[in-house]
Amino acid sequence: MKAAIRHLRRNRGRTILTLLAVLIPVYFLVSMFGLTNSIVSDMFETATRIDTGHFQIRHIERRGMGAAIPLMHDSKSVLAALDKIDGIEWRTVRLDMPALASAGDRSQAVYVQGVIPEEIAPISSIRDLVVKGTYLKNGQNGAVIGEELAALLNVGVGDQIVLLGAHPETGLGALKVPVVGIYRAPISAMGRTVIHTTLTTARRLARSPNAATAVVVRVSGVTGPWDVGKIEAVTAQLKGLLPDDVEVLDWRKLAPQVSGYMAILRPVMIIFAAIFFGLGALVVLNTLYLSVMERTRELGLIIALGASRWRVMGMILTEAGLITVIGAVCGALIGVALAWIVEALGGIPLPGAELADYMKVVGMKPVLHMMISWPQVVISAAAMVGVAVLAAWFPAYRASKLEPVEAMRYVE
Amino acid sequence: MSNSKALIQTIDLHKTYKTEAVETPALNGVSIELHVGEFTAVAGPSGSGKSTLLHLLGGLDRPTSGEIFLEGVALSGLSKDQLARLRMTNIGFVFQAYNLIPVLTVLENTAFVLELQGVVRAERIKRARKILAELGIEQYADQYPSRISGGEQQRVAVARAVVAEPSIVLADEPTANLDTATSHELIDLMRRLNEEKGATFLFATHDSRLLDRVSRLITIVDGLITEDEKKHDPSAE
């Protein structure tokens, strides 16, 4: 070990190059993981807070429903089942249905979400997004619409809009409701299409006084899309407690765009990691190989004095292990430190209104955050060390195979 | 020559170096015996095969044909790892140049073979310091090779060669790069180790300063022994 340290100190330029070859991939990966964790977490929070919850209990899918969700007429038995199990943070009943919103000669296809205002706050952040007027109150006949829809229909707070509901099970229903609030949606498509009314109003639109389409549930302690196990643990408790005609759908099925993004992200990160690690490994291989070439006579002497080939390999691999561990630890620490600095500064605001608008379209905040996951940091560093030591195997093997007489005659 | 059992015996040793187009014979049938306590030189002009002979005797290379016995063990039957172990335990080497490991201190270089043998640190440091003191170079123990002269480096190489008390020390042109005074000092040192400790030395050299001091002189020309002259028997003193 002492000799390995001295060799590394003797060839400082090469040592620094090898160190950087390991440090930079680890630093990049840790930073990229931090950014993607934050992006995925943003998308997950947007989807689960505003729309899907962590899971929903719905009537089993029926054919011929189009964009409509089948109606449940006995949501009380579902709520009773949820009251019997642990791990529920909040739940509420909702009635979602497609409709046509119109004002004057303008109209827009929308999706009405009938909610219980006093229950919706912990599940949906839409109450906090209201920028004009107020959010709904219990029993109030009114609608909260997005800025985009308000612009499309050319209406403001206090104006009336007509909702024409069409559910395959109940037929057409029409209501005139005043706009009580306008919200700023995190996703522009949402602002154009999602209208909140009270559950009572939505039931009138659906012409069914007990109807609901879902019981929306949030699970305690879920911090991001990676906490699938906690959600599954809760839904597993529901087996046998729910009526036969309902099913449990978790956020992955309800927000396939988020789970789809995550599914794409994994292979992308693996490809990035492979490229970074591959480049790092090539530099490690190259520098160590050069080092072995330079030290051919010295290694020949060591072999001549009786060192076994395993010992010679061990010497080279010890050097490689030492430098790669130092490089990987430094890379990980720099990545973590950068994340801390970014978070301390409140994130990195994206430059330009267009980019911010695009982020909004895909459901992300226009400020980049870095969310560090320690298992990812450790795995990134350990994987780089593993790959680098593997790359060092070839020069180490070559060193162990040197013929002492030829090696000692070697002239650089 | 002693009548005792041979420390090293070679039988009809041949070595031919082959490249793609050319075969170059280096040894053409060398049969010798070396005995414990001898202070022997193999002399001859450049390219005569003396270094090749040393390399073969030291298990650093393998003969094309013929056999070498070290303390009765046939080297041809040993694997690479077994040969490495044999070199580590039975043979001390002094080379013409590039003798020391540059990142190790004089003390660590001296103790290196003991480290390979698995001797515990305290013991190997003690033994290395002792031999350095005996050879008068203890003051350089903590110096790196680059900080001491060529003559001092060769002394350290001799210290390393004898510290593990091998059966034989093989020295390939040990004085070739040294000035006259330093050469004499080194030769005196090795002679003293031979006489006082009974260390067996075999040199490949054409340095007359060294040839004058050996007890047995084997002359080799074109890969064949032309003369084997007993000059002085230290054990008879």
Side-chain angles (χ1 to χ4, degrees):
Chain A
M1 179 64 83
K2 202 190 282 182
I5 293 169
R6 287 179 194 162
H7 268 298
L8 294 174
R9 284 173 59 186
R10 191 170 63 154
N11 292 300
R12 282 193 187 143
R14 186 172 297 146
T15 299
I16 289 169
L17 184 66
T18 314
L19 197 78
L20 289 176
V22 176
L23 183 152
I24 290 170
V26 174
Y27 156 70
F28 265 123
L29 267 188
V30 169
S31 301
M32 278 187 61
F33 272 128
L35 282 172
T36 52
N37 287 345
S38 172
I39 289 168
V40 167
S41 182
D42 262 10
M43 293 177 76
F44 174 79
E45 278 299 295
T46 302
T48 59
R49 278 213 170 269
I50 290 176
D51 185 18
T52 65
H54 293 142
F55 68 89
Q56 293 184 8
I57 299 166
R58 291 181 176 184
H59 196 285
I60 289 171
E61 286 283 342
R62 290 185 193 140
R63 286 174 181 273
M65 298 294 288
I69 303 168
L71 297 176
M72 288 196 297
H73 296 282
D74 184 18
S75 53
K76 282 183 182 168
S77 57
V78 172
L79 294 173
L82 289 169
D83 287 342
K84 288 179 189 163
I85 64 169
D86 299 323
I88 303 295
E89 183 186 305
W90 203 257
R91 82 282 185 286
T92 190
V93 177
R94 212 166 74 193
L95 172 57
D96 296 358
M97 62 183 292
L100 185 73
S102 55
D105 59 351
R106 299 178 179 214
S107 60
Q108 165 71 22
V110 295
Y111 211 69
V112 173
Q113 292 189 342
V115 300
I116 301 171
E118 67 181 11
E119 288 184 359
I120 198 71
I123 291 182
S124 172
S125 57
I126 211 161
R127 180 195 289 266
D128 303 327
L129 300 175
V130 172
V131 289
K132 286 180 187 163
T134 59
Y135 192 67
L136 298 161
K137 293 181 179 64
N138 273 356
Q140 185 179 19
N141 181 36
V144 175
I145 66 173
E147 285 180 311
E148 289 84 352
L149 183 60
L152 273 168
L153 298 180
N154 194 24
V155 294
V157 172
D159 292 338
Q160 297 275 343
I161 58 170
V162 174
L163 296 175
L164 183 64
H167 196 281
E169 295 179 39
T170 56
L172 287 172
L175 278 180
K176 189 180 265 188
V177 291
V179 174
V180 297
I182 295 174
Y183 68 90
R184 182 164 293 157
I187 309 171
S188 46
M190 177 189 169
R192 205 164 48 245
T193 56
V194 175
I195 293 180
H196 268 209
T197 68
T198 61
L199 183 60
T200 314
T201 303
R203 280 172 170 170
R204 279 171 53 212
L205 187 64
R207 301 196 305 162
S208 179
N210 299 314
T213 49
V215 175
V216 184
V217 184
R218 277 186 73 86
V219 173
S220 302
V222 173
T223 57
W226 40 84
D227 277 339
V228 169
K230 286 179 186 163
I231 297 168
E232 285 175 346
V234 169
T235 56
Q237 295 177 60
L238 286 169
K239 266 192 178 168
L241 295 177
L242 292 172
D244 293 339
D245 59 352
V246 299
E247 63 182 343
V248 175
L249 301 171
D250 75 14
W251 66 271
R252 288 174 294 185
K253 193 145 190 185
L254 297 166
Q257 73 281 7
V258 178
S259 52
Y261 182 74
M262 286 178 67
I264 292 168
L265 207 59
R266 187 171 301 210
V268 167
M269 287 301 289
I270 289 171
I271 290 167
F272 267 111
I275 293 169
F276 286 145
F277 285 174
L279 289 173
L282 271 177
V283 176
V284 169
L285 190 152
N286 187 45
T287 51
L288 272 175
Y289 190 75
L290 281 174
S291 170
V292 166
M293 294 289 284
E294 268 182 15
R295 286 156 58 193
T296 296
R297 293 178 67 175
E298 178 189 326
L299 292 166
L301 172 66
I302 288 169
I303 295 167
L305 293 175
S308 68
R309 60 196 173 118
W310 293 111
R311 181 162 185 124
V312 174
M313 278 189 86
M315 284 169 56
I316 305 295
L317 291 176
T318 300
E319 272 180 45
L322 194 64
I323 192 70
T324 53
V325 165
I326 293 170
V329 169
C330 289
L333 289 179
I334 292 171
V336 170
L338 180 78
W340 276 337
I341 291 167
V342 165
E343 289 309 294
L345 296 173
I348 308 164
L350 289 173
E354 279 183 15
L355 190 56
D357 283 347
Y358 175 74
M359 297 295 273
K360 190 174 168 181
V361 168
V362 295
M364 296 187 302
K365 294 171 190 161
V367 177
L368 287 179
H369 289 271
M370 292 179 81
M371 191 181 282
I372 291 297
S373 152
W374 284 106
Q376 286 173 346
V377 172
V378 172
I379 288 168
S380 301
M384 184 68 239
V385 170
V387 169
V389 171
L390 209 62
W393 197 267
F394 176 65
Y397 178 77
R398 283 292 301 261
S400 75
K401 287 288 177 187
L402 288 171
E403 290 297 334
V405 174
E406 288 172 22
M408 291 174 71
R409 282 198 205 112
Y410 181 81
V411 179
E412 287 163 35
Chain B
M1 195 179 294
S2 165
N3 291 325
S4 61
K5 191 179 171 188
L7 174 65
I8 289 180
Q9 183 185 18
T10 72
I11 300 169
D12 196 22
L13 218 48
H14 286 76
K15 176 68 182 178
T16 303
Y17 292 106
K18 292 177 185 171
T19 59
E20 279 181 15
V22 185
E23 286 194 357
T24 311
L27 294 180
N28 294 308
V30 172
S31 298
I32 54 167
E33 283 189 5
L34 295 167
H35 296 264
V36 174
E38 285 186 337
F39 198 69
T40 308
V42 180
S46 291
S48 59
K50 51 189 187 300
S51 288
T52 300
L53 179 61
L54 244 67
H55 292 156
L56 297 181
L57 297 180
L60 294 172
D61 203 354
R62 290 187 190 272
T64 309
S65 66
E67 187 55 275
I68 303 163
F69 293 93
L70 176 65
E71 293 184 322
V73 176
L75 301 196
S76 62
L78 301 182
S79 68
K80 269 192 172 182
D81 284 344
Q82 286 171 323
L83 273 179
R85 178 162 285 279
L86 181 101
R87 292 196 297 270
M88 179 177 74
T89 53
N90 288 51
I91 301 168
F93 288 99
V94 180
F95 299 102
Q96 179 178 340
Y98 209 86
N99 238 327
L100 303 177
I101 300 165
V103 294
L104 300 183
T105 64
V106 163
L107 184 69
E108 289 163 345
N109 263 290
T110 309
F112 185 73
V113 177
L114 297 173
E115 190 184 340
L116 291 180
Q117 290 180 1
V119 176
V120 293
R121 183 180 154 77
E123 172 67 12
R124 62 178 190 256
I125 294 297
K126 185 177 145 196
R127 286 169 66 179
R129 280 200 184 282
K130 183 166 178 277
I131 196 73
L132 287 175
E134 284 175 15
L135 301 190
I137 46 175
E138 195 187 11
Q139 67 273 27
Y140 304 125
D142 297 323
Q143 300 279 357
Y144 286 98
S146 58
R147 306 296 294 270
I148 60 176
S149 70
E152 288 155 354
Q153 286 187 35
Q154 282 301 62
R155 281 176 175 238
V156 177
V158 172
R160 184 189 57 205
V162 298
V163 71
E165 297 176 355
S167 309
I168 188 166
V169 175
L170 301 176
D172 189 6
E173 305 277 11
T175 56
N177 292 343
L178 305 180
D179 59 50
T180 302
T182 311
S183 287
H184 280 300
E185 281 176 20
L186 190 74
I187 295 162
D188 287 344
L189 184 80
M190 293 189 286
R191 197 72 172 106
R192 186 156 57 81
L193 286 168
N194 170 249
E195 289 171 2
E196 293 175 4
K197 290 180 165 285
T200 308
F201 282 83
L202 177 65
F203 306 97
T205 184
H206 46 45
D207 183 348
S208 58
R209 297 167 300 196
L210 179 53
L211 295 177
D212 290 343
R213 303 290 300 276
V214 295
S215 56
R216 182 180 169 195
L217 177 61
I218 299 168
T219 306
I220 188 166
V221 177
D222 293 337
L224 281 168
I225 293 176
T226 55
E227 200 174 347
D228 187 349
E229 177 193 0
K230 187 179 170 189
K231 295 172 68 179
H232 173 68
D233 188 352
S235 61
E237 287 183 350

